[in-house]
Amino acid sequence: MGAEAEGEVGGSAVVVLGLQPSALVDHVARVDWSLLDRIPGEIGGSQQVAIKDLEHILSEVNTHILPLVDDISPIRTIAGGSIANTVRGLTAGFGLLCGIIGACGDDDQGQLFVDNMSFNGVDLSRLRTKKGHTAQCACLVDAKGNRTMRPCLSSAVRLQASELRTEDFKGAKWLLMRYAYFNMDLIQTAVKIAKQEGMSVSIDLASFEMVREYRTPLLELLESGNIDLCFANEDEARELLRGESNTDPEAALAFLAKYCRWSVITLGSKGCIAKHEKEVARVPAVGEAHATDATGAGDLFASGFIYGLVNGLSLEECCKVGTCSGGSVTRSLGGEVRPENWQWMYKQMQAKGLPIPPFAKNV
């Protein structure tokens, strides 16, 4: 599986690196509300479960599946994880050279992760293979396209802070991370190396539960001044300002902007708002009327936004590319954009006067 890091793909330096401590395989299924009511945790969130709970959820899925008219199967098993979704989107949809720093197990799930990410052009030379299980997640989607996540990470192999190497980061421009309190040592070490290498750092706030339960260390991370770009959805933004008199998205955006060069809050069907220095952009959503599954919408929004930053687009243009790419993944099940939906995205970008990747002009 993973080979030794060289920092280059086909002779060109990797532009974006994603830090995902554990490779993850998503089991995505459309299910009815009765199953969502019977599993632990809040509907719409992301809460870790033990392997026996995950196995129970997956065993129940087949009896609660909602059929899809236009899909081959109402359940998909694919490489997943927020960072993997974003990086895969950047390579497959936007043609940026990207890699993942992390670890996967030497099991069938690990091989599935490697095969899927390699097929989509992601450099896996920094992915360590270890003996043990690869992480899995049940992604349960309701009839309206809203998703409830139940990841199982406890017994999975994971990259440790001591395993990070300076050469993993050399030559890259961006480091993408997802906030998780139980990965703080790894996050802090990665940020330190990235900054030493002159990289910009982006973080996604992960889930409203993570922000709610581990708000203090998150604030300390933001206050360090080392986070250049922060993505949050509306629920995460509200938890970030818990206890304040004003917890609306605009207030959260202003709060994040005190610490980050770019701050973005995604608002689902209402689009997004973003701030860079004194500039504020508000952009509507794209493709919401045809949404099948919201899984990966925020991750693919990040793909488009970062593509815009790498290519020197304005704040508003970055948001517009983000809404196009975020909309593309909602048109089918799971966090991976299908070829026909990349084509849909390119047409949306062209209609808005946005530059599409050079290779897409010939596709």
Side-chain angles (χ1 to χ4, degrees):
M1 293 184 189
E4 290 302 307
E6 295 294 339
E8 296 191 354
V9 178
S12 300
V14 166
V15 177
V16 176
L17 285 172
L19 178 68
Q20 184 165 308
S22 298
L24 182 70
V25 169
D26 282 340
H27 305 278
V28 191
R30 292 241 307 175
V31 298
D32 62 43
W33 278 96
S34 62
L35 175 58
L36 298 176
D37 285 335
R38 289 163 50 191
I39 65 174
E42 296 180 54
I43 292 176
S46 177
Q47 180 172 311
Q48 287 199 46
V49 296
I51 185 64
K52 61 180 179 58
D53 296 319
L54 177 73
E55 290 171 347
H56 173 71
I57 291 170
L58 294 178
S59 70
E60 290 286 308
V61 161
N62 284 330
T63 60
H64 293 81
I65 275 180
L66 293 176
L68 285 173
V69 175
D70 299 323
D71 244 323
I72 297 172
S73 170
I75 183 168
R76 296 185 71 197
T77 298
I78 55 175
S82 177
I83 296 301
N85 289 341
T86 299
V87 168
R88 180 175 53 206
L90 280 165
T91 57
F94 293 102
L96 285 187
L97 294 170
C98 304
I100 278 194
I101 305 173
C104 70
D106 59 349
D107 54 2
D108 290 343
Q109 306 291 346
Q111 191 61 54
L112 187 153
F113 181 91
V114 167
D115 291 345
N116 179 260
M117 299 301 285
S118 298
F119 176 80
N120 283 283
V122 178
D123 171 45
L124 299 181
S125 62
R126 301 161 185 79
L127 184 71
R128 282 70 159 173
T129 302
K130 301 184 177 185
K131 290 191 178 298
H133 299 293
T134 301
Q136 300 180 67
C137 180
C139 307
L140 308 175
V141 184
D142 68 19
K144 294 182 178 179
N146 301 311
R147 93 289 182 270
T148 297
M149 316 286 273
R150 291 296 177 263
C152 177
L153 308 176
S154 58
S155 61
V157 299
R158 184 165 70 93
L159 187 71
Q160 303 298 320
S162 60
E163 296 175 287
L164 289 175
R165 303 173 298 193
T166 302
E167 53 264 36
D168 289 335
F169 297 77
K170 285 193 177 298
K173 297 182 183 300
W174 278 91
L175 174 67
L176 313 185
M177 306 184 301
R178 182 174 169 86
Y179 178 63
Y181 175 72
F182 40 84
N183 290 329
M184 281 303 289
D185 285 348
L186 183 67
I187 288 173
Q188 290 168 344
T189 302
V191 169
K192 181 179 178 181
I193 298 174
K195 287 301 173 182
Q196 289 172 348
E197 292 300 312
M199 297 173 65
S200 296
V201 176
S202 168
I203 196 163
D204 182 284
L205 295 194
S207 71
F208 63 81
E209 295 100 332
M210 186 63 69
V211 178
R212 177 188 297 164
E213 294 174 28
Y214 304 107
R215 181 171 175 268
T216 298
L218 170 60
L219 293 178
E220 292 173 355
L221 181 63
L222 293 171
E223 290 166 359
S224 73
N226 288 323
I227 305 302
D228 298 282
L229 167 60
C230 183
F231 292 104
N233 66 28
E234 202 165 359
D235 292 333
E236 293 154 4
R238 188 178 299 111
E239 287 295 336
L240 189 66
L241 296 185
R242 188 177 69 249
E244 301 290 332
S245 58
N246 184 359
T247 60
D248 64 26
E250 288 76 9
L253 189 70
F255 177 84
L256 286 172
K258 291 190 294 184
Y259 308 110
C260 306
R261 293 173 64 197
W262 294 274
S263 305
V264 185
I265 297 179
T266 54
L267 306 171
S269 62
K270 294 174 286 185
C272 71
I273 54 175
K275 187 172 173 53
H276 172 55
E277 297 177 346
K278 294 183 179 180
E279 183 183 5
V280 176
R282 180 181 289 272
V283 172
V286 177
E288 184 69 23
H290 300 282
T292 294
D293 172 16
T295 302
D299 306 334
L300 269 294
F301 175 94
S303 298
F305 191 92
I306 290 166
Y307 167 79
L309 286 182
V310 169
N311 285 278
L313 302 187
S314 70
L315 181 67
E316 183 175 2
E317 288 172 326
C318 289
C319 290
K320 286 181 177 179
V321 180
T323 57
C324 289
S325 54
S328 70
V329 77
T330 68
R331 297 170 65 83
S332 60
L333 201 61
E336 180 179 17
V337 181
R338 294 189 172 182
E340 65 271 20
N341 293 329
W342 284 130
Q343 295 303 316
W344 174 89
M345 183 192 77
Y346 301 141
K347 290 179 181 178
Q348 297 297 317
M349 289 174 64
Q350 287 180 310
K352 296 176 186 303
L354 300 167
I356 64 173
F359 72 86
K361 297 173 184 177
N362 301 317
V363 174

